[in-house]
Amino acid sequence: MRTLEDLNKLRDKLQAEISIRERKQEITVNVSMGTCGIAAGARETMKTLIEEISSKNIKDIALTQTGCLGACQQEPLVQIQKGGEKVTYINVDQEKARQIVNRHLLEGKVIEQWTKPEE
Amino acid sequence: MSMYRSHVLVCAGAGCISSDCKAVQSALIANIQAQGLKDEIKVVETGCMGPCDLGPVVLIFPDGVFYRKLKPEDTADIVTEHLLKGKLVDRLLHRPTGKSEQVATFDRMEFFKRQTRVTLRNTGLINPESIEEYIARDGYQALGKVLSKYSPEEVISAIKASGLRGRGGAGFPTGLKWEFTARASGNPKYVVCNADEGDPGAFMDRSILEGDPHSVLEAMAICGYAIGAEKGFIYVRAEYPLAVQRLETAIGKCLEYGLLGRNIFSTGFNFDIEIRVGAGAFVCGEETALLASIEGRRGEPRPKPPFPAQEGLWGKPTVINNVETWANIPPIILNGPEWFSAIGTENSKGTKVFALAGKINNTGLVEVPMGTPLKEIIYDIGGGIPNGKKFKAVQTGGPSGGCIPAEYLDTPVDYDSLVKLGTIMGSGGMIIVDEDTCMVDLAKFFLEFVQEESCGKCAPCRIGTKRMLEIMERIVEGNGKDGDIELLEELSQGIKSSALCGLGQTAPNPVLSTLRHFREEYIAHIKDKRCPAGACQALVTYYIDARACKGCGLCSKNCPAGAISGEKKKPHVIDAGKCIKCGTCKDKCKFNSIFIL
C-alpha cells in the first residue's frame, strides 16, 4: 500500500463483498425455492443468477430466496424488487436468468413477455 | 470476484465460545457443503455481537435473520429450510422475555434497535482476522486522511472539538491529553493502549479487541502522528489470549499491507506497535503502574504529578488511553467532530459501551448514546429482571464505583449524573442486582477484590482495606457492633485521602455508596442480627410452614446435614442446630413451604 489512492482502490473492490451485511442494496432479486420451485429447476436458476451477477460485477444487489408463492405451474419464479416496484418473472430457466441479469438489472429494461400478468 | 448470495455470521465472542459456537460453526459448514451451497453461502466468524445470554447465535444476511441458542443439530434445518428454501426456522428465532411472538430480524429486536453503534460499529459484523473486511468498512481511511490532509495540530483540534472523554474511567478530555503530550518536551514520545480491563463483570475492551482490533491500531497510529511518536504499546492482560492472538494477527497484516511500519502512505510517517502481555493484576490498569510494568518493573503506581503526558514510559511524554477511547477515534476523523458531539449530552459526548451482567434477562454488550436513562438500558435493552424479581440496584464503575438504587432509575447515564449519585461511569461494567442480593455482602465482595489486588506499596491501601474488610466480615457474620458504621466511614475517608493511586483512593467507594443508599441494611445486620435480603448465611434461619407442608419428605431426603425430620404426610421440622443453611430444602420443596426468616 503505497498511497491513499491504493487504499481507496482496494476498498472499492472489497466493499462489494461486504455490502450485503450493510443492507443498503437497492435491488432485491428473489428466487422462489419451494419444493415445486426446486423441482422445476430453481437451483440452476439461482446458480446462474449468481454467476452472471458476479461476472458482470453488479453491486448492491441482494439475492435472496423465498418459499412457494402459490403459482407452482409457473416455477421457477424470480421477483425483482426496486423501491416500491416489483416485477415477477415466470418459468425462468438458465437462459432467461442470464437475459434478466443483462437486460433488466444492467440496462434497466423489464422483459415484459416473461413477466407474470398482474392479477 | 466471486459473489456469495448470503453471509452467515457466527458470533465467536467469548460468551458464545463458552456455549460452544465452534461446534455449531463446524456443523453449519458441513451442512452447507452437503447441500452443495458452499459456493453460494459464506460463513464468517465474528467478534461479540452483544446478546451473550442467547449464544450461540448466528446472523444471516441479506435478510438479517437472527437465530439463537443453537445446537449443532439445529444447523441442518437452517441450511435446508432457510438457506436453501427461504423459509424461516421459527423454533430457532428469538422470543423476547414475556412476549409470545417471535422476532425474526436483528433490527427488530429491542436489544439492537435502541443501540447506537459507534465504538462497536464493526464488532460482530466483520471477521476480526480479516484486514480486508476492515478496509471494506472504511478501515485506515481516517489514518490516510490525517496523514495526507491534516497537520498534527489539526488532528488534535478535531479530537478536542469532538468532546471525547476517556472511556477508561475518569473521563479526562482526550484531545487535551494529546495536546499536553504533543507540547511536552522530551523525545521520543510514546502511545499506549490500556487493555488491562479488570473490573469484575466488565468485558467491553476485550470484546472490541477480539471483534475489531484494527480500529485500535488505526487510532494509535493517528495519535502517533498527532503527538510526534513512532512507537506504540498495547498492554493487554494475559487472561485475554484470544484478544492477544487477534491483535498479533492484525499487526502482522498491517505490516504486510504497509499500514504500520516505515513510510506509511509514502508520507514519511513511521509507526510501530508492540504488544505487552500483563499478568492480570488489577493495579496494572492504573496508568503509572501499567507504564512501570511495560518497562519491566513491578507493576506499582507512583505519585502524580508528573503525569504520563509529561513523564511517561521511560520518563518520556506518553499518551495513554483505553481500548474503547481508541475505537472512537477513526469515526471522529472520518465523520467530523460535529457529528460526534451531536451525540450525547452537554458534557458527555458520543456513546458508551456497557457490559450488562448479573440479574438481568439480556446479559451482554450494548452501546447507547450518553444520557440514555438507566431504565431504558436495564428494562428496554436489558429486558428487565429475571423470574419476576424486583430490581434493587445497579453497580457501576466496578470497585472504584458504587451502586444506584431503584429510585434513580430515570437518571440519564453520563459522567456527571453518575458522580452526583456517588458512583462513576468507570469503564462501563453494569452489574444488576435484585431483591435477593444483600448490599452489605455485595460491598464486601468488592472490598475483598481490591484488598486482594492491592499492590501493597502504600499503607492506607494495604492495611486500611484489610481493616475495613475485617469489619465487613464481622458484620455479615452477625458479629457487628455499635460504632462499626462510623468506623467504616472514618477509615474510608482516611484511605480516600491518603492512598497513593486510584485503586486505593477508590477502594472504599462500594462501602460508602452502599452506606449512602442502603444504610438500613447495615443497621439491620448490626443491631437486629438480621439480613433483610436473606442472603447472609449466618443471619438467616430456615423454617418450614406447617400449614403448607404436605409431608412429602423431599426436603429431608435431600438435606445433606440430616437436619430435617418428620413423619410421612405430616409437617416436617428443621433442627436449627444441625442446619447448615445451604438452601437445598427450599430449592427442592414443591409446595413453597420453606421460608427464610
Side-chain angles (χ1 to χ4, degrees):
Chain A
M1 196 93 57
R2 293 274 173 73
T3 63
L4 184 53
E5 283 68 53
D6 295 343
L7 180 71
N8 288 338
K9 267 186 223 150
L10 184 62
R11 176 194 56 183
D12 294 344
K13 204 181 106 208
L14 295 169
Q15 240 163 11
E17 286 177 30
I18 203 167
S19 67
I20 190 171
R21 285 177 232 167
E22 291 166 351
R23 307 180 83 198
K24 287 187 208 149
Q25 301 86 2
E26 284 180 13
I27 303 172
T28 308
V29 179
N30 206 330
V31 184
S32 169
M33 283 279 188
T35 310
C36 45
I38 293 175
R43 289 284 301 129
E44 284 69 34
T45 304
M46 174 66 100
K47 278 184 193 157
T48 308
L49 287 169
I50 295 174
E51 274 166 28
E52 206 61 22
I53 290 171
S54 49
S55 72
K56 296 282 153 45
N57 210 358
I58 314 175
K59 286 180 191 173
D60 299 328
I61 286 184
L63 197 52
T64 65
Q65 72 287 27
T66 180
C68 175
L69 294 177
C72 310
Q73 73 285 2
Q74 294 169 328
E75 294 280 8
L77 287 164
V78 175
Q79 285 185 324
I80 297 181
Q81 214 168 340
K82 186 182 178 186
E85 271 176 52
K86 191 195 275 179
V87 177
T88 307
Y89 289 102
I90 58 175
N91 303 119
V92 184
D93 58 18
Q94 287 172 282
E95 180 48 34
K96 279 187 182 173
R98 259 176 234 120
Q99 297 280 344
I100 290 167
V101 172
N102 287 300
R103 285 156 69 185
H104 189 144
L105 298 179
L106 270 179
E107 295 167 21
K109 289 179 197 141
V110 179
I111 314 169
E112 302 284 355
Q113 67 269 31
W114 297 342
T115 60
K116 187 185 171 82
E118 284 309 315
E119 287 92 320
Chain B
M1 185 197 78
S2 68
M3 175 192 168
Y4 291 94
R5 68 175 167 88
S6 179
H7 288 196
V8 181
L9 275 55
V10 183
C11 178
C16 284
I17 289 178
S18 64
S19 51
D20 213 3
C21 63
K22 294 284 176 186
V24 172
Q25 189 179 348
S26 316
L28 192 63
I29 291 171
N31 277 303
I32 286 173
Q33 272 176 342
Q35 293 291 339
L37 294 170
K38 97 178 148 49
D39 299 328
E40 297 175 33
I41 316 279
K42 186 177 191 176
V43 177
V44 185
E45 186 179 312
T46 73
C48 180
M49 290 181 191
C52 303
D53 58 306
L54 298 180
V57 303
V58 305
L59 184 52
I60 299 180
F61 286 104
D63 14 16
V65 171
F66 182 86
Y67 291 118
R68 92 288 181 252
K69 293 191 181 172
L70 299 178
K71 293 186 193 66
E73 54 271 27
D74 294 327
T75 59
D77 280 355
I78 293 179
V79 175
T80 53
E81 295 304 310
H82 185 143
L83 294 174
L84 187 61
K85 298 182 190 163
K87 276 201 303 214
L88 293 180
V89 188
D90 288 340
R91 67 183 173 89
L92 303 174
L93 295 174
H94 175 57
R95 185 178 282 118
T97 321
K99 301 237 165 74
S100 55
E101 69 274 27
Q102 294 151 322
V103 183
T105 56
F106 78 103
D107 51 359
R108 293 187 57 203
M109 288 166 64
E110 292 293 321
F111 182 85
F112 287 107
K113 196 155 87 172
R114 291 170 186 266
Q115 295 193 46
T116 304
R117 292 194 160 213
V118 175
T119 323
L120 301 178
R121 63 196 176 282
N122 294 324
T123 306
L125 191 73
I126 64 168
N127 174 355
E129 304 205 345
S130 163
I131 192 171
E132 290 80 11
E133 293 202 347
Y134 183 69
I135 289 173
R137 295 268 300 162
D138 290 331
Y140 294 101
Q141 289 287 332
L143 178 61
K145 186 173 173 183
V146 301
L147 291 184
S148 57
K149 297 197 184 98
Y150 284 26
S151 69
E153 295 73 27
E154 284 170 331
V155 180
I156 291 173
S157 303
I159 301 302
K160 276 169 78 178
S162 74
L164 175 67
R165 294 168 67 176
R167 300 294 193 242
F172 190 81
T174 306
L176 212 54
K177 195 184 252 188
W178 290 20
E179 188 173 58
F180 289 153
T181 317
R183 288 190 181 165
S185 56
N187 253 311
K189 292 175 180 174
Y190 296 104
V191 178
V192 172
C193 170
N194 182 347
D196 192 70
E197 184 173 53
D199 286 2
F203 52 93
M204 297 78 44
D205 292 349
R206 191 196 65 214
S207 300
I208 294 168
L209 291 177
E210 287 177 1
D212 190 20
H214 284 286
S215 68
V216 174
L217 303 183
E218 182 179 6
M220 290 174 72
I222 291 169
C223 176
Y225 173 71
I227 66 163
E230 294 196 343
K231 183 97 198 163
F233 290 93
I234 300 175
Y235 187 88
V236 50
R237 47 175 51 215
E239 285 101 319
Y240 289 178
L242 188 60
V244 173
Q245 179 219 310
R246 290 200 170 144
L247 279 170
E248 278 168 354
T249 307
I251 291 172
K253 279 284 170 195
C254 280
L255 292 170
E256 212 175 280
Y257 273 81
L259 293 164
L260 283 177
R262 300 199 66 75
N263 198 17
I264 299 168
F265 290 126
S266 308
T267 57
F269 173 63
N270 309 322
F271 197 75
D272 271 324
I273 296 176
E274 276 182 44
I275 300 170
R276 286 287 182 275
V277 179
F282 188 65
V283 72
C284 286
E286 197 282 336
E287 52 187 14
T288 60
L290 186 153
L291 296 174
S293 182
I294 292 181
E295 290 170 15
R297 296 185 286 120
R298 280 179 74 136
E300 286 181 345
R302 62 161 173 78
K304 289 188 283 191
F307 289 94
Q310 262 84 40
E311 289 180 32
L313 264 186
W314 295 289
K316 305 297 181 188
T318 302
V319 161
I320 172 163
N321 285 135
N322 103 311
V323 173
E324 194 185 331
T325 315
W326 288 120
N328 278 296
I329 301 293
I332 290 175
I333 298 290
L334 283 184
N335 303 322
E338 307 76 24
W339 162 83
F340 188 80
S341 62
I343 309 169
T345 64
E346 182 69 35
N347 293 314
S348 304
K349 301 298 186 190
T351 58
K352 179 77 193 84
V353 182
F354 293 103
L356 302 181
K359 300 291 174 63
I360 186 156
N361 277 315
N362 308 335
T363 54
L365 203 65
V366 303
E367 180 172 1
V368 291
M370 291 274 193
T372 301
L374 205 45
K375 203 187 232 162
E376 193 175 328
I377 299 174
I378 294 171
Y379 284 92
D380 298 330
I381 300 175
I385 316 303
N387 305 322
K389 297 275 182 179
K390 260 202 282 206
F391 168 84
K392 187 168 188 178
V394 54
Q395 153 81 30
T396 75
S400 309
C403 58
I404 305 170
E407 64 250 49
Y408 298 106
L409 270 173
D410 289 321
T411 306
V413 181
D414 61 39
Y415 289 102
D416 312 314
S417 57
L418 293 191
V419 169
K420 269 188 215 142
L421 293 176
T423 180
I424 57 165
M425 177 88 74
S427 57
M430 272 197 182
I431 299 173
I432 291 90
V433 299
D434 67 6
E435 53 191 298
D436 293 341
T437 308
C438 168
M439 299 309 284
V440 184
D441 190 48
L442 181 74
K444 191 192 104 204
F445 165 80
F446 280 105
L447 198 57
E448 233 163 35
F449 178 84
V450 287
Q451 207 278 316
E452 226 164 70
E453 292 285 347
S454 172
C455 77
K457 187 174 181 181
C458 72
C461 180
R462 183 181 69 243
I463 305 170
T465 58
K466 179 80 180 158
R467 292 291 92 86
M468 282 183 75
L469 182 59
E470 285 165 3
I471 299 168
M472 294 293 283
E473 279 169 347
R474 241 184 27 231
I475 294 174
V476 301
E477 278 159 14
N479 301 319
K481 346 180 252 226
D482 265 357
D484 273 351
I485 292 177
E486 293 71 20
L487 187 55
L488 280 171
E489 282 171 333
E490 194 189 330
L491 276 164
S492 295
Q493 294 312 329
I495 296 167
K496 269 172 94 84
S497 58
S498 60
L500 181 58
C501 80
L503 172 69
Q505 286 155 11
T506 60
N509 283 358
V511 174
L512 286 174
S513 162
T514 44
L515 271 172
R516 172 173 168 178
H517 297 296
F518 296 94
R519 201 180 190 87
E520 70 289 348
E521 285 198 30
Y522 281 81
I523 295 169
H525 281 74
I526 297 169
K527 293 231 164 77
D528 314 336
K529 309 293 175 205
R530 193 172 62 82
C531 173
C536 292
Q537 281 198 6
L539 298 179
V540 302
T541 313
Y542 282 82
Y543 166 80
I544 296 176
D545 181 351
R547 284 165 303 175
C549 179
K550 303 273 184 246
C552 71
L554 212 54
C555 55
S556 63
K557 220 176 277 169
N558 284 289
C559 175
I564 307 178
S565 58
E567 278 180 53
K568 245 192 182 165
K569 296 195 179 167
K570 285 192 180 152
H572 283 45
V573 283
I574 300 175
D575 180 345
K578 286 188 191 163
C579 176
I580 56 164
K581 299 168 186 176
C582 63
T584 307
C585 54
K586 189 174 184 296
D587 293 340
K588 293 284 175 191
C589 181
K590 286 178 184 157
F591 306 101
N592 284 325
S593 64
I594 301 182
F595 291 90
I596 298 173
L597 280 182

